[in-house]
Amino acid sequence: MFITGANGYTGRHAIRHFLQKGMAVTAVVRSNFPDMKDSNLHIVKCDVTNETEVNSLIQQIKPDYILHLAGKSSVEESWKSPADNFRTNVMSTLNLLEAVRMYCPSAKIIVVGSALQFNPQAAPVAVHPYSLSKGLQMLVAESWKRLYGLNIVLAKPSNIIGPGFSNGICSLVARKIAAMEEGHVQPILEVNDLSARRDFIDVRDVVRAYDQLLFMDTNEEVYEICTGISRPLEEVMKTYQSMTDIKMTIKEQKSQQPQFSPMMDPSGMKKLNWEPAISFENSLHDTLQFFRGEKEV
């Protein structure tokens, strides 16, 4: 198993998942190495935006299964550094697929998109640079699948939540609540648009879905990994409030940036006998426990 972006939020969960299955894992990182040790874990340093480095690594390892998680996922950061966002999300994917085409064309690859990716059929322009970069990433993957016959699976997860370090809203709120409980910050939460709705899916369920996609026959155009349930951010706040004795003040600040939450359909994954196993409430509980320091990931 070859995992790019292995030191990221989903990457660390993926490493643990496949190691627990007894698989040999090659974890590809750009700089920081995950603090994990296992006889089946091989950690390698590679900048996936560097074509030469990617070619050398793929030629050396020739993996059979690839989970491509490397990339940037911050909308705010994409506004500040759009070119870097494109290099990381689009060019890393192109570099990887080209290396696979040349050195191990039979490998099965999951390319991971985003619920926020740009869909030109639904809107004339992307709402932010991140959306455009992820849309182009998936377009490249789909094109290389059709043009060169590579065994590529396109996966599009919804809003991923759960224990671990993430820049997602649920992790940010949990981190703030843990700091409130320690008395480090005032019990005030500032949130953009409590009515904004998201389909929240636990990261551990997402990794199980990637496992299904890698080792089962796949024929869908894009596999949407989600619950099919859209929840407002207000529900996130109320659920977290029920988990702490701290009485929080919620300050709503309407965002100046456009908000959208496309409906997603888990039917493709259900055909592979996958369904979410971790409830929304348990996922938020585990996230809060992680930031309280009571659970390691």
Side-chain angles (χ1 to χ4, degrees), residues 65-80:
Y65 300 98
I66 300 172
L67 177 55
H68 180 41
L69 298 172
K72 292 186 178 296
S73 59
S74 169
V75 172
E76 182 178 359
E77 184 180 337
S78 78
W79 283 108
K80 298 175 182 177

Side-chain angles (χ1 to χ4, degrees), residues 77-88:
E77 184 180 337
S78 78
W79 283 108
K80 298 175 182 177
S81 304
D84 187 49
N85 201 264
F86 274 61
R87 277 191 294 269
T88 305

Side-chain angles (χ1 to χ4, degrees), residues 100-118:
V100 169
R101 182 177 71 84
M102 291 187 289
Y103 302 115
C104 54
S106 62
K108 191 169 188 178
I109 316 152
I110 293 181
V111 176
V112 178
S114 166
L116 300 181
Q117 71 191 43
F118 174 53

Side-chain angles (χ1 to χ4, degrees), residues 1 34 51 58 109 131-132 141 159 206 212 227 265 286 292:
M1 173 59 61
E51 181 182 359
I58 293 295
I109 316 152
S131 174
L132 182 57
N159 290 76
V206 171
Q212 295 282 87
T227 66
D265 181 6
D286 290 351
R292 284 169 170 164

